[in-house]
Amino acid sequence: MQKLFILVCCLLGSGWAMAQDIATAPNGNVKVIKDSRVDVLIKKQTYINTLAIRNQSGFRVQVISTNKRGDANEAKARVMQLYGDYRTYLDFQAPYFKVRVGDFKSREEATELRDKLSNLFSGGVFVVPAIINVSPDKELSNEEPY
């Protein structure tokens, strides 16, 4: 019974309550007062969100695929000595260890490195599709600072 009484009171009370005062907004216009720092915060958050998206589909150059960890580590060290500008990855996909080099957005960029590396590795060097890591430095150079 009390629950029913409370429900009826809430329904009647909500009918009498007014969300807006009609006397202050007779023509329907709303005046918004906003701090200018809100725009700066929105721009900064947009910038942070674009940097957070660093994983994209792209290409890497695979120099070796072997089931021997030692051979894979040697190949990785060799690539890192000769081409230190590119990030080198050692991936394990059972039962193979794969050494992949670089983070390229286009196949053409990866093909240039493949041509350079093909003389060093006799087992075959291939351009493979992969999820690449986009470095924040490249993203910073493409966007204007806030």
Side-chain angles (χ1 to χ4, degrees):
M1 187 68 170
Q2 288 178 344
K3 291 181 183 178
L4 181 62
F5 178 71
I6 293 172
L7 178 65
V8 170
C9 288
C10 289
L11 290 174
L12 290 175
S14 64
W16 292 320
M18 297 182 66
Q20 295 178 353
D21 187 10
I22 297 175
T24 58
N27 57 3
N29 292 336
V30 177
K31 183 178 180 183
V32 177
I33 300 172
K34 176 177 70 167
D35 192 352
S36 62
R37 295 178 290 178
V38 172
D39 290 330
V40 173
L41 286 174
I42 290 172
K43 287 183 179 181
K44 283 184 180 180
Q45 189 62 44
T46 304
Y47 177 70
I48 289 169
N49 290 345
T50 57
L51 285 181
I53 305 172
R54 294 185 183 159
N55 295 334
Q56 297 177 357
S57 59
F59 299 93
R60 289 190 177 141
V61 178
Q62 180 173 308
V63 295
I64 191 171
S65 178
T66 181
N67 57 359
K68 299 178 183 175
R69 181 187 291 254
D71 293 346
N73 283 330
E74 288 175 16
K76 181 179 178 182
R78 193 169 162 193
V79 170
M80 288 175 69
Q81 285 177 344
L82 296 173
Y83 296 97
D85 297 342
Y86 299 103
R87 290 188 67 180
T88 306
Y89 303 92
L90 178 62
D91 297 331
F92 178 69
Q93 295 174 353
Y96 297 106
F97 294 94
K98 298 178 180 184
V99 176
R100 296 181 174 176
V101 183
D103 293 311
F104 302 103
K105 290 185 178 182
S106 69
R107 185 176 287 272
E108 291 77 24
E109 293 174 331
T111 303
E112 293 176 17
L113 181 62
R114 182 201 63 192
D115 294 340
K116 295 175 186 176
L117 291 171
S118 62
N119 297 332
L120 299 173
F121 296 95
S122 60
V125 179
F126 304 101
V127 174
V128 293
I131 301 299
I132 62 170
N133 300 317
V134 179
S135 65
D137 298 336
K138 291 182 182 178
E139 292 295 323
L140 286 174
S141 64
N142 292 339
E143 295 183 14
E144 59 186 57
Y146 293 104

